[in-house]
Amino acid sequence: MIITQIKQRRKELDRDKNVYVPHMVLVDKIIEETPTVRTIHFHFKDPELNKEFTFEAGQFAELSIFGVGEATFCISSSPTRNDHWECGINRVGLVTAALHRLGVGAEIGFRGPYGNHFPLDIMAGKNLVFVGGGIGLAPLRSLIWNVLDNRDKYDKIAIIYGARSPGDLCFKYDLDTWEADQSLNTIITVDKGDAMWKGREGFVSEALRDAAPSSRNAVAVVCGPPVMIRSTFPVLEQLGFMPDQVITTLEKRMKCGIGKCGRCNIGNLYVCRDGPVFSYAQIKGFISDEY
Amino acid sequence: MITKKVSKKDIRKLLGTWNQECNVIVPSRVDGVVGMAAWDNQDISFLDWYRNTVIPPKSCFLPKSEVMMSFKKNENGYNLEVPTNEHWQVIFGVRPCDARANAIIDHVFAVTYDDYYYISKRRNTLLVGLSCTNPYDSCFCTSSNIDPTESEYVDLMFTDIGDDFVIEDFTGGGKALLNMSNTLKKVTKADIDKIKEVKAASVSKIKKTVDTENADRKLGSLFNDTDYWERISAKCISCGICTFLCPTCFCFDINDEMIRKQGARYRGWDSCSFRSYTRMPMENPREEKWRRVRQRVCHKFEFFPMNLGINACVGCGRCIRSCPVNWDITQVIAGLPAEAGIKSGK
């Protein structure tokens, strides 16, 4: 009858997977990073997914609190450490506030991983410069641990990270480890120190300028608030980095995370689908204007 | 292929036959607004008054709002339930512009990730086109290379030749619909001549035109011309009606609601005209109105062609007819400076 004929005709669309239905994950551990940032560690409720789930550094997920909504977070743990997963959450809105009210054992929704990832294949054998600001360390941290777990594949590594104040530095336990690691050049800076602060003061872009890493055979990976990104790109250019040597990961308001809902575009590129990882060459024409 | 015709007085019978097997959707006035809605199995007066819907047929696949899933909290956690969309529908009276528009947004919803909600409705739908013989002054479909009497995106195409509709069938689904009915008649040589006449006359009724040639290149060179966009957007009041009624606009928002331990996640139309659309806690990339207007124009005529090789404007004219301040996208496209890099005059 008619229905069978139509079914055959529309067979190419007949896939019953519904990507909007989240997987359930359980919160294992909560680390308070700063007064407004916490990291949640979680695993999947479905034991099969715990074994099967993989992702690449730089990819993101939609976390949801049922009844409150969904929001977008990068997965901040390293793909090389797949026993659990982590997301860093800055309390800025409805969903993030709800995520900050959670306790260990809470059940939340997880969709992902979505988006592209950092180009580890291009970075292999090169000098790496990581430039991060504030909560922007979350995606970088996933990449940095991924790189450090395969340390011999890469040449010199510099990590330049800053926050507004000492209290705003995220992942301090990682910063301590990296500072102690002699194979890394780790520079931590804060915009304004306090009485206890013995370290460097000043913006990340200034720390980068002073450190002046060589652009030869190098890749710079930049992630932070837009104001930091905008001030960092010119410094990298002065240091001789070409636009395709500079990689960043962007953040935009998202709903679907899969290129449908429309709002996260920069020009013809969707941050969720074509990104979130972009080379500066890709977004140069739009960066000063829409980001 | 033109094979059959149906007498206008038999339309009720034809729709009635289809309505026994699937939901027949027809142009209807709902709360005073013309859109596509379920047929009452009786009224075919729309044949007299229908020109085009105000709310485009995209609403049959991407409703103004819809429940994506409902959830219930119990002692073992959350229980999610997704509504199913397994009813079959025939949409009668789709205009060629809107048929093209559906085909355009298919790309969005069926690329990389399948959108279950859209596709499960779309795949269960047959489109019956209706030649546009009485277009509005604001229609400019021919500028988007659309013939108001032809479409490759429908299953059946009806054309009014006076007492009868001549029917062209294009797909197996369309043929199946015809096979269900015993009210159809054979077309005659005279009908074929008549339909040619009607088609030519319909095309000539589209008076509004706009040259979209190179619009993408011109827009690309204008992207950073703030003065130009401020001037173009000056009278826009960011009401968003152009985007809600646009048959190719597909943006949506997702939100949750929960009372006690039960709730739902639903989605509804959203619009790039609104500040909140892109607002983030720390900043908003499109806070200023001119950026939002620029986004709409560039998305239709620059970004969409870059990504999919086709303008996301079908020339249905809804945005022009419905705009409370007479903003006209064709004037913007027509007024684009001819050469790349040229600064627009004040």
Side-chain angles (χ1 to χ4, degrees), chain B residues 123-136:
Chain B
R123 72 174 177 207
N124 292 358
T125 302
L126 289 171
L127 298 180
V128 179
L130 194 55
S131 286
C132 205
T133 50
N134 187 15
Y136 293 96

Side-chain angles (χ1 to χ4, degrees), chain A residues 112-132:
Chain A
Y114 295 139
N116 67 355
H117 52 83
F118 291 111
L120 282 167
D121 49 338
I122 292 174
M123 294 162 68
K126 300 225 166 82
N127 298 315
L128 305 180
V129 181
F130 298 103
V131 186

